[in-house]
Amino acid sequence: EVIKTKTYYKLLLIQTFSIPAFVLISSIFVSFGEGKGLSSEVLVAGVSIASLFQVAGRFIISAISDRISSKNSMALVFVITIISIVILTFSEGYVYVVCFWLLSFAYGGSAATIPSLTTDYFGVKNAGVIVSLVLIGMGVSSICTPLVAKAVGENTSFIVAGIAAVVGILLVFSLPKKQK
């Protein structure tokens, strides 16, 4: 029943478009950061600290979700991603690292929010299977993002990740009101 609805495909695409920026940057963070004037020691430390931001995003964004709704929290994740990817594209030095931390925070937040967003629309009955169907988007994105990045080049892939985030926020706003 779920896969026969437009809402399912919107949620699948929201999941798909929520992670390209993080997947892209995490794979080239150190090599690209060296070109932005940072030492490998600072960049490796930045990766370690990014893990803490991912965890913080899971807790903070999901706590915010309880107050402003999972739909609005998912929109917030995309706003953070869009702002971070734009600034990161043009940044130098430590601003580059801070933007990566923000992307990590948003990535963690999306991971924590998508299950509740899914249950908002389809309820808790069979939630494990339904959320797993939505999480197929994570696998698709994890496989396709590096392929797209390789095909278009590192600099253009930032633009592609930004466009994916814009499409994602538009999909969030296109979701219907909660269903029964």
Side-chain angles (χ1 to χ4, degrees):
E1 291 175 19
V2 168
I3 61 173
K4 293 178 182 177
T5 67
K6 288 181 183 178
T7 301
Y8 164 71
Y9 291 99
K10 286 181 181 183
L11 290 169
L12 176 75
L13 289 172
I14 287 167
Q15 177 62 52
T16 302
F17 292 133
S18 70
I19 66 168
F22 176 78
V23 170
L24 167 69
I25 302 305
S26 64
S27 65
I28 62 168
F29 178 73
V30 173
S31 62
F32 204 73
E34 288 172 342
K36 291 186 170 279
L38 295 165
S39 70
S40 60
E41 292 82 10
V42 167
L43 293 165
V44 169
V47 170
S48 298
I49 294 169
S51 299
L52 298 174
F53 275 85
Q54 244 188 76
V55 171
R58 291 173 198 270
F59 285 103
I60 294 170
I61 297 290
S62 60
I64 290 170
S65 175
D66 292 338
R67 299 195 193 300
I68 67 170
S69 83
S70 52
K71 184 176 176 180
N72 289 331
S73 290
M74 204 64 204
L76 176 62
V77 163
F78 282 115
V79 167
I80 293 168
T81 300
I82 292 164
I83 291 169
S84 298
I85 201 79
V86 168
I87 295 171
L88 187 139
T89 302
F90 303 105
S91 67
E92 294 290 328
Y94 292 104
V95 174
Y96 172 77
V97 177
V98 170
C99 287
F100 180 61
W101 291 344
L102 289 172
L103 286 174
S104 299
F105 180 81
Y107 175 76
S110 72
T113 303
I114 201 72
S116 25
L117 182 61
T118 302
T119 57
D120 283 351
Y121 288 96
F122 297 109
V124 293
K125 184 178 179 189
N126 301 313
V129 172
I130 296 168
V131 170
S132 295
L133 288 169
V134 170
L135 290 177
I136 289 170
M138 179 180 281
V140 169
S141 193
S142 296
I143 292 167
C144 293
T145 297
L147 298 174
V148 170
K150 189 173 183 176
V152 300
E154 284 180 352
N155 290 328
T156 305
S157 59
F158 284 96
I159 296 167
V160 171
I163 291 169
V166 169
V167 170
I169 199 168
L170 293 173
L171 285 165
V172 168
F173 291 129
S174 78
L175 285 169
K177 291 185 179 181
K178 288 184 184 179
Q179 306 177 147
K180 290 186 179 179

